[in-house]
Amino acid sequence: MGEIAKLELDGKVYEFPVIEGTENEKAIDISSLRSATGYITLDLGYKNTGATKSAITYLDGELGILKYRGYSIEDLASKATFIEVAYLLIYGNLPSQEELDNFTSSITKHTLVHEDMKQFFEAYPSKAHPMGVLASMVCSLSTFYPEALDPNRDSESVDITIHRLLAKLPTLAAWSYKNSIRHPFMYPKNEFDYCKNFMYMMFAMPTEDYKIDPVVTEAMNTLLILHADHEQNCSTSTVRMVGSAQTNLYASISAGISALWGPLHGGANQAVLEMLQKIHEDGGDVDKWILKAKDKNDSFRLMGFGHRVYKNFDPRATIIKKACDDVLQKLNINDPLLAIALKLEKVALEDEYFKARSLYPNVDFYSGIIYRALGIPTEMFTVMFAIGRLPGWIAQWKEMRENGDPIGRPRQIFTGETDRKYVEINKR
Ligand code: SDX
């Protein structure tokens, strides 16, 4: 008999089982709470609530540990390719050479987007934010493949949907950018690897040969790996919630893209760059902006700082910060925003307000500076996050479906009016 948690309510003692994960995390299983006691729990923002059991990603916020399927993020970011990591997250193991070759060739075969979808792009205003375009386009993919919509169907049709999404998201992302600058769309090239293909579709022109510095594609590979999954974050929980209704994978991922867009979540990388630019244009007075971030009457927050889980450091930020230095040095870029970011970080880490609240740089704090160095436009930063997070969303959706998790339906505490009678007004 495992550990038991006891709860005393209205003079009665109730017992609930304690469950323990493989990394020794513990939870009180309250599945029987309401039927046994009539009570529910209330936990705004689910800060203390586990929504599922998962074998995909483990993170320890106190120790700054992040592992995908048991492999440390440091190991994967320095040795693996993003496609290998995508396979690992989705199918549970690193692929053999044959599995990797088959996975890669299947993805390569599906990078094209149905020609009819090009008209969708042309209907958007040039100032359309690419996250809005991407969320719509991904959901629209479901209308082109009706035969592969049922998530309960054979694994082959789920697999082909997975490969189509991994293959087409970079194409849709690059075309949303090309459309915003009214440049001609570049079609994917089968001889290019995942990262080079994306950069080609983003920046090549039909009138000239495209050359890309391997430093750029290597940095992109690292960034995509660092963003690939992060257990039950806001957008992943959204994908799981939508998928729990047996909604198809395209629509579930589209919902995840919408959730990621928020500036408190994946939209923070764009917000960090805009914040650094604002501080730079304001004369670079870092102390003034730190004061604003601490002022409760000021809505300004230090974007890229703080995390719901990491309370010491975000291991991804550590890796990205080093990659940032490397890329700027190799590309011989002297970015004044990096100097401001380093100064902001130094001042904040020594400031009692930030230390008392365990606020440290997160994954978004330095990523925008690298994306800028790679030539990615600011409005595409969160799209880069979505491309990286796609395999994680897919893996979590697949696990939720395979585990047969029930449809998500939280409870509430009602605080509204209780008993009001309808009074007829003298309608004219
Ligand atoms: C991502 O969950 C994930 O795993 C997400 C992610 C992933 O990979 O999927 O890691 C990606 O979303 C990273 C986070 C990107 N967001 C930002 O950088 C936006 C800025 N940070 C915050 O808004 C905030 O820190 C959150 C949203 C990240 C976390 O918010 P919490 O856990 O709900 O914490 P909170 O808002 O309750 O803040 C606690 C205190 C508050 O002060 P007090 O009320 O205690 O006085 O800290 C303060 C907040 O005001 N605070 C900040 C701050 N973040 C929190 N004060 C100034 N600047 C900040 N950035």
Side-chain angles (χ1 to χ4, degrees), residues 95-147:
S96 64
Q97 189 58 57
E98 184 187 1
E99 287 163 335
L100 182 61
D101 293 345
N102 293 338
F103 188 55
T104 305
S105 68
S106 175
I107 289 171
T108 304
K109 267 198 326 242
H110 290 96
T111 49
L112 282 175
V113 170
H114 199 292
E115 281 296 297
D116 288 358
M117 290 190 86
K118 284 176 69 178
Q119 300 162 47
F120 299 0
F121 284 97
E122 283 142 23
Y124 283 100
S126 62
K127 290 284 166 257
H129 195 289
M131 285 297 276
V133 176
L134 205 59
S136 319
M137 288 295 176
V138 166
C139 200
S140 301
L141 281 174
S142 63
T143 64
F144 288 85
Y145 306 103
E147 77 288 352

Side-chain angles (χ1 to χ4, degrees), residues 47 230 233-234 263-266 268 293 296 301-308 311 314 316 353-354 357 359 362-364 385 389:
K47 294 190 177 187
H230 214 239
N233 59 85
C234 176
L264 293 189
H265 189 18
K296 285 292 163 223
R301 276 199 161 186
L302 201 54
M303 300 312 278
F305 256 73
H307 198 277
R308 173 62 56 77
K311 297 306 175 190
D314 182 337
R316 301 167 299 176
Y353 171 93
F354 291 88
R357 293 166 178 79
L359 302 176
N362 59 46
V363 67
D364 294 304
F385 195 143
R389 185 54 51 89

Side-chain angles (χ1 to χ4, degrees), residues 268-383:
N269 54 21
Q270 174 177 339
V272 167
L273 233 293
E274 289 163 352
M275 171 187 75
L276 294 174
Q277 268 158 338
K278 199 185 287 181
I279 296 173
H280 179 57
E281 285 152 18
D282 180 52
D285 180 354
V286 163
D287 295 325
K288 167 185 167 187
W289 289 85
I290 289 282
L291 280 175
K292 284 171 62 68
K294 291 158 52 174
D295 179 355
K296 285 292 163 223
N297 300 317
D298 191 322
S299 61
F300 174 75
R301 276 199 161 186
L302 201 54
M303 300 312 278
F305 256 73
H307 198 277
R308 173 62 56 77
V309 177
Y310 289 124
K311 297 306 175 190
N312 274 318
F313 65 97
D314 182 337
R316 301 167 299 176
T318 309
I319 298 170
I320 289 183
K321 183 177 174 183
K322 182 176 177 322
C324 199
D325 288 337
D326 291 350
V327 166
L328 292 182
Q329 195 184 19
K330 285 175 184 168
L331 298 179
N332 197 22
I333 295 172
N334 177 20
D335 187 344
L337 301 192
L338 176 63
I340 291 177
L342 289 167
K343 204 170 163 203
L344 263 181
E345 180 186 25
K346 184 175 181 313
V347 173
L349 294 184
E350 289 161 5
D351 185 291
E352 201 37 51
Y353 171 93
F354 291 88
K355 288 198 289 192
R357 293 166 178 79
S358 305
L359 302 176
Y360 297 86
N362 59 46
V363 67
D364 294 304
F365 190 65
Y366 285 102
S367 55
I369 295 171
I370 295 192
Y371 287 140
R372 204 164 103 109
L374 303 183
I376 306 282
T378 307
E379 285 217 327
M380 287 291 288
F381 288 4
T382 310
V383 170

